[in-house]
Amino acid sequence: MAKEKTKKSQTRVKRNQKLYKDTIITESYAIHHSIIFLLIISILANGFTIYHFITFNHNKVKVVTKTKTEIQEKVPENIVFLGDSITNRYDLEKYFSDINIVNSGKEGNKATDILASMKERVYDYNPSKLFLLIGTNDLDESTELSVEEVYNNIIEIIKQIQEKRNKAEIYIDSLLPVNSDVRYSPARDKDNNKIKELNEKLKEYCKKNKCTYIDMYNEFLDEDEHLSLKYTTDGLHLNNKGYEKFTELIKKYLK
């Protein structure tokens, strides 16, 4: 599965890597008129006269000039999904087989992991659109990171993308809720209150900074305000129904 995913990603890199063409050959034509006046006045002893005559020589000269003009040639559909295991397990080929799309998710990732691998995870794909879902693992009790620290790391990801790939449209998926009531759930060290706090901060940031915030959190809640068991088997990751729901919410942003 991993090899197949890598092969597909490599194919997409080759197909989508070029966003800009920087050289254009332009041809211009100029008409050069050379007027040659040939005047011969001869008076011959025998009384004959050769009349004046004029020859016009018209030469068309082709001038080739090379200019370095940067054309912003945006790949129409070149979409990157960036994140942790929830993104990594998302079968994008299944749901979006007709779209140029790359899965750049990795199991267990935190925002700092993405920051350490921006070139191969983001820049090399030259995305026209990028969907970011990260932060749940960062809020695990074992990391001892505050909501503010996690928020700052996520904002740094956004800023670096905007600097290096400023034509990319950035979409921030809210963190999903968790359900720690599931037995042996990997979500047992994660707190929905912290997740909600982080989501609110990201939402406010997007309002002011040319990003689109997508509210996933409230769409996946049950009546007890946990991740609904309809959409998960372990309280953290999505099942097939969960990804169907996720796709339903996100597909309008892919048009």
Side-chain angles (χ1 to χ4, degrees):
M1 187 73 172
K3 288 183 179 178
E4 183 181 351
K5 178 182 166 185
T6 301
K7 185 177 179 182
K8 288 178 181 176
S9 295
Q10 288 173 346
T11 300
R12 296 187 189 286
V13 172
K14 291 176 183 178
R15 183 166 44 190
N16 303 318
Q17 224 167 18
K18 264 289 195 187
L19 267 182
Y20 300 99
K21 291 180 181 176
D22 63 3
T23 304
I24 308 166
I25 301 297
T26 61
E27 293 185 351
S28 59
Y29 294 89
I31 304 298
H32 176 66
H33 297 279
S34 298
I35 303 175
I36 303 172
F37 294 97
L38 180 62
L39 178 60
I40 301 175
I41 301 175
S42 300
I43 300 175
L44 301 176
N46 62 3
F48 290 121
T49 302
I50 297 178
Y51 293 96
H52 316 95
F53 66 91
I54 301 172
T55 300
F56 295 88
N57 184 20
H58 301 279
N59 294 315
K60 187 178 183 183
V61 180
K62 183 177 179 181
V63 179
V64 179
T65 59
K66 187 180 250 191
T67 59
K68 281 204 165 183
T69 304
E70 190 176 74
I71 295 182
Q72 295 178 1
E73 186 185 354
K74 202 170 187 179
V75 177
E77 288 179 336
N78 186 17
I79 301 164
V80 172
F81 278 67
L82 179 64
D84 52 29
S85 57
I86 292 174
T87 298
N88 185 59
R89 299 181 188 192
Y90 193 4
D91 189 352
L92 295 171
E93 292 288 335
K94 172 182 175 181
Y95 295 104
F96 306 109
S97 58
D98 58 337
I99 298 177
N100 220 19
I101 204 161
V102 173
N103 191 321
S104 194
K106 285 193 177 181
E107 297 284 322
N109 257 202
K110 303 178 182 66
T112 49
D113 296 312
I114 291 176
L115 284 169
S117 56
M118 293 289 280
K119 182 182 183 301
E120 59 268 31
R121 302 282 296 281
V122 181
Y123 305 150
D124 283 352
Y125 295 118
N126 282 329
S128 55
K129 291 183 177 182
L130 183 137
F131 292 81
L132 176 63
L133 173 52
I134 196 71
T136 306
N137 294 323
D138 308 63
L139 293 176
D140 193 285
E141 289 180 4
S142 63
T143 67
E144 298 183 349
L145 292 173
S146 68
V147 171
E148 187 69 21
E149 287 173 311
V150 176
Y151 167 78
N152 288 336
N153 288 336
I154 296 173
I155 298 310
E156 184 60 27
I157 294 172
I158 297 169
K159 287 180 176 179
Q160 288 190 24
I161 295 170
Q162 289 177 329
E163 179 185 350
K164 299 288 187 181
R165 293 293 181 268
N166 61 5
K167 300 301 176 185
E169 297 174 22
I170 299 177
Y171 298 82
I172 306 301
D173 301 327
S174 74
L175 276 64
L176 299 173
V178 297
N179 192 330
S180 56
D181 291 340
V182 178
R183 192 177 184 187
Y184 304 124
S185 172
R188 60 187 177 277
D189 294 325
K190 296 172 175 58
D191 184 350
N192 277 332
N193 289 324
K194 288 184 178 181
I195 290 174
K196 284 195 293 184
E197 184 182 347
L198 179 56
N199 282 340
E200 283 302 313
K201 293 173 77 66
L202 292 172
K203 182 178 179 180
E204 287 304 308
Y205 180 86
C206 288
K207 286 180 182 178
K208 303 171 185 177
N209 292 279
K210 296 182 180 179
C211 301
T212 301
Y213 177 82
I214 305 174
D215 181 12
M216 297 288 187
Y217 184 90
N218 290 301
E219 297 292 336
F220 282 85
L221 289 174
D222 63 15
E223 60 277 6
D224 297 319
E225 297 197 351
H226 297 147
L227 176 58
S228 174
L229 295 180
K230 288 191 300 184
Y231 304 126
T232 185
T233 54
D234 65 3
L236 176 63
H237 300 101
L238 298 179
N239 57 20
N240 288 336
K241 276 191 173 295
Y243 281 117
E244 287 171 8
K245 179 70 172 178
F246 198 100
T247 301
E248 177 189 325
L249 295 170
I250 213 162
K251 63 183 178 183
K252 66 180 179 181
Y253 299 101
L254 299 175
K255 296 178 181 178

